[in-house]
Amino acid sequence: MGMKTKVALGAVVGLVVIGAVSANSGDTEGGSGGKGSSASAERQSGDTKAADGKGAKDAKDAESNDSADKGAEKASQAEQFKAFVQKHGSPQEKAAVEHVTKVQGADQQNDILDAADVYTDFTGGIMGEGAGPAKLIASAFADWKQSKNGLVTVYDANGELLGNGKF
């Protein structure tokens, strides 16, 4: 290969890389902007209502409702999960979920690859006492959250795997 060919090939590769980087820069949601443009349109329409003076009272009412909703959402994911199981779960699930100490990833779902982690106070890993209840916890989690492609993993107090399941 000649020197001119190598330089031309390098320039083409460089332009392709620069094009790919610039096309993806500023894309915070990983899409082509469909979600961002509709969200910004909603924000703009909301701003015009408040600017009219007509929507100012409605905006204050919405803020007070939002603050009440935030009070309900301030409960940790583990507390929300436990409350759901206490209301809808079987007696075995209720007993198993009493050992849950922390839940992560339950509030962030995109239906592409959802992963949630549930931590318990069981010990001994997969061969310990928590392996059976871990399946019950995973099953109860699947009743609580639904996803097209979700995986919940249950861990013991030392961070060792107890079990997992689809949700």
Side-chain angles (χ1 to χ4, degrees):
M1 216 193 268
M3 186 63 156
K4 289 182 181 179
T5 307
K6 288 181 182 179
V7 170
L9 186 59
V12 169
V13 170
L15 288 174
V16 169
V17 169
I18 291 172
V21 169
S22 67
N24 288 329
S25 68
D27 189 11
T28 59
E29 293 186 19
S32 60
K35 290 182 180 178
S37 60
S38 65
S40 63
E42 290 174 9
R43 273 187 245 121
Q44 289 173 354
S45 67
D47 290 343
T48 58
K49 288 179 185 176
D52 291 345
K54 294 179 182 177
K57 183 177 184 252
D58 294 335
K60 287 181 182 179
D61 290 342
E63 282 180 22
S64 65
N65 288 340
D66 287 343
S67 63
D69 291 341
K70 287 179 184 177
E73 290 180 18
K74 284 185 181 180
S76 70
Q77 293 176 36
E79 291 169 350
Q80 293 173 12
F81 176 48
K82 286 180 179 182
F84 174 84
V85 173
Q86 287 301 319
K87 186 174 182 182
H88 302 286
S90 69
Q92 294 84 3
E93 289 174 337
K94 290 176 184 179
V97 169
E98 287 178 6
H99 294 276
V100 171
T101 58
K102 183 177 182 181
V103 176
Q104 288 182 321
D107 59 347
Q108 302 167 353
Q109 293 186 355
N110 60 11
D111 283 336
I112 296 171
L113 180 58
D114 297 326
D117 299 324
V118 177
Y119 296 92
T120 65
D121 59 3
F122 292 114
T123 57
I126 200 161
M127 299 302 288
E129 63 179 310
K135 289 295 181 184
L136 289 169
I137 292 170
S139 174
F141 190 91
D143 291 340
W144 182 47
K145 295 288 183 176
Q146 287 80 36
S147 173
K148 292 180 182 176
N149 193 22
L151 178 70
V152 58
T153 307
V154 183
Y155 297 98
D156 73 356
N158 297 324
E160 294 183 37
L161 177 73
L162 288 177
N164 58 18
K166 294 181 181 180
F167 72 93

